[in-house]
Amino acid sequence: MTISGKTRVCGVIGDPIEHSLSPIMQNAAFQALDLDYVYLAFKVKPSCVADAVNGIRALNFRGLNVTMPHKKSVMANLDRIDLSAQIIDSVNTILNKDNLLFGFNTDGVGAVRALKENGVALKGRKVVLLGAGGAARAIAYAVAKEADELAVLNRTAKDAQALARLVEKAANKRIVAASIEPEDIDANLQDSDILINATSVGMKPRIDETPVPIELLRSNLAVMDIVYNPLETKLAKDAKALGAKVVSGVEMLIYQGASSFEIWTGKSAPVEVMRKAALTHLEKKA
Ligand SMILES: NC(=O)c1ccc[n+]([C@@H]2O[C@H](COP(=O)([O-])OP(=O)(O)OC[C@H]3O[C@@H](n4cnc5c(N)ncnc54)[C@H](OP(=O)(O)O)[C@@H]3O)[C@@H](O)[C@H]2O)c1
């Protein structure tokens, strides 16, 4: 890669940021398509978010990804916000076009693309989504637009209710809300086709935990666990052992990044290159 005076700059802001896989995936993608772009990670404290976003314009960056804890606070400094990002009140991608800053959220789209590209169609299907945090919020709206039915289950049941009501209104579809107790999971999984775990249960270091007891899984229930650290969670292992279709959290990570890449460059993302870069890094770390 040759950095020159013409090189376009993209990056990611968050705090902490050192663990981010985005620089690895995005730089691999820019290089694969021979694009004169570079992608860097910036640690930005909450008190500096407005300065950082205004800096996009001042320094003529092409755009930024935004990660925790800034996905909501960046919104106040943008010129236009895409409808999906407005609904879920969260932006993870900023595009600088002619000095105007546009906000998008590619998390939900990334999850839906990950399912579809791995052979899991949403149309006509019933989906059970576990979680009501930041990632679940984005996924719930994107899934509700495509699937026939959606149930949102969360440990804090009132947050599942609030998310269900929000998405119900926005997607104009009835959304069920419940707790994450085994009896509620059982009742909702009975006639479901797809299970998505968007809680942090099963994440390192608690890799022996799963949000769904294996007895409640079955071979014709497709499972996506968005946790990607470890690469294969207990939930994914259990579902695989039963012969179910499993989509890993790395797939969502790749497709949300691919969608951001496409927003900045206007070109189809080299998904295979991004997958290889992310997996090589994660396998080395494992
Ligand atoms: N693959 C990807 O691209 C991708 C993208 C984003 C996030 N993620 C992963 O997704 C996970 C969630 O991220 P997030 O940003 O949404 O986090 P978050 O906003 O903090 O939400 C955490 C969610 O997990 C639930 N939870 C936490 N501990 C639990 C427990 N012991 N039992 C039951 N539920 C529990 C929380 O329930 P309560 O509401 O009851 O607290 C909440 O629904 C993380 O592991 C993150 O690394 C992956």
Side-chain angles (χ1 to χ4, degrees):
M1 180 203 320
T2 309
I3 307 276
S4 74
K6 292 190 209 140
T7 304
R8 310 283 339 244
V9 180
C10 293
V12 56
I13 58 169
D15 185 14
I17 199 62
E18 297 77 5
H19 66 283
S20 175
L21 279 173
S22 296
I24 287 155
M25 282 197 306
Q26 299 291 354
N27 285 316
F30 293 146
Q31 281 165 40
L33 297 194
D34 205 16
L35 297 175
D36 194 5
Y37 280 66
V38 68
Y39 187 105
L40 299 163
F42 302 97
K43 181 171 171 170
V44 173
K45 290 195 207 100
S47 58
C48 297
V49 166
D51 287 343
V53 175
N54 290 327
I56 301 173
R57 255 190 287 260
L59 298 171
N60 194 27
F61 283 9
R62 179 59 173 162
L64 287 180
N65 277 134
V66 182
T67 188
M68 299 304 289
H70 307 320
K71 289 185 180 186
K72 185 172 163 55
S73 55
V74 293
M75 295 173 76
N77 296 288
L78 303 178
D79 298 303
R80 308 245 201 294
I81 296 173
D82 157 82
L83 183 62
S84 300
Q86 275 181 43
I87 288 166
I88 61 168
D89 209 14
S90 168
V91 160
N92 82 334
T93 304
I94 300 172
L95 168 72
N96 176 7
K97 195 173 171 209
D98 304 327
N99 229 25
L100 281 179
L101 301 185
F102 293 80
F104 304 86
N105 193 305
T106 64
D107 286 332
V109 178
V112 166
R113 276 179 82 177
L115 286 166
K116 287 185 184 168
E117 298 288 341
N118 283 279
V120 182
L122 285 162
K123 204 168 166 7
R125 303 294 177 87
K126 179 173 174 190
V127 180
V128 170
L129 172 68
L130 307 180
R137 229 176 138 78
I139 295 170
Y141 179 57
V143 165
K145 285 197 289 185
E146 305 222 4
D148 265 26
E149 292 178 62
L150 172 66
V152 178
L153 278 55
N154 194 46
R155 176 177 62 179
T156 309
K158 70 168 179 35
D159 291 347
Q161 289 282 356
L163 179 54
R165 296 297 78 84
L166 173 89
V167 171
E168 196 162 63
K169 206 165 150 219
N172 198 21
K173 231 170 243 178
R174 204 176 89 75
I175 315 286
V176 170
S179 90
I180 206 172
E181 293 301 322
E183 51 277 20
D184 277 334
I185 297 182
D186 189 21
N188 281 286
L189 279 184
Q190 299 273 343
D191 56 348
S192 293
D193 309 288
I194 302 165
L195 167 69
I196 303 172
N197 176 40
T199 74
S200 46
V201 178
M203 196 170 127
K204 252 183 193 167
R206 297 161 76 173
I207 59 170
D208 295 328
E209 294 181 6
T210 174
V212 183
I214 189 165
E215 307 76 58
L216 303 184
L217 301 173
R218 33 174 230 279
S219 61
N220 63 348
L221 179 73
V223 174
M224 178 162 83
D225 193 340
I226 76 159
V227 173
Y228 58 86
N229 185 17
L231 270 172
E232 194 173 48
T233 60
K234 173 156 171 45
L235 172 62
K237 278 186 191 147
D238 288 349
K240 211 184 248 179
L242 294 173
K245 173 90 195 165
V246 175
V247 180
S248 108
V250 181
E251 292 294 300
M252 172 175 161
L253 185 76
I254 292 162
Y255 282 103
Q256 61 78 29
S259 300
S260 298
F261 177 97
E262 289 163 3
I263 287 170
W264 298 320
T265 66
K267 298 194 184 305
S268 287
V271 170
E272 200 43 57
V273 169
M274 297 175 89
R275 180 178 290 113
K276 192 169 168 224
L279 286 175
T280 304
H281 183 80
L282 287 168
E283 278 158 6
K284 239 190 260 166
K285 258 183 40 184

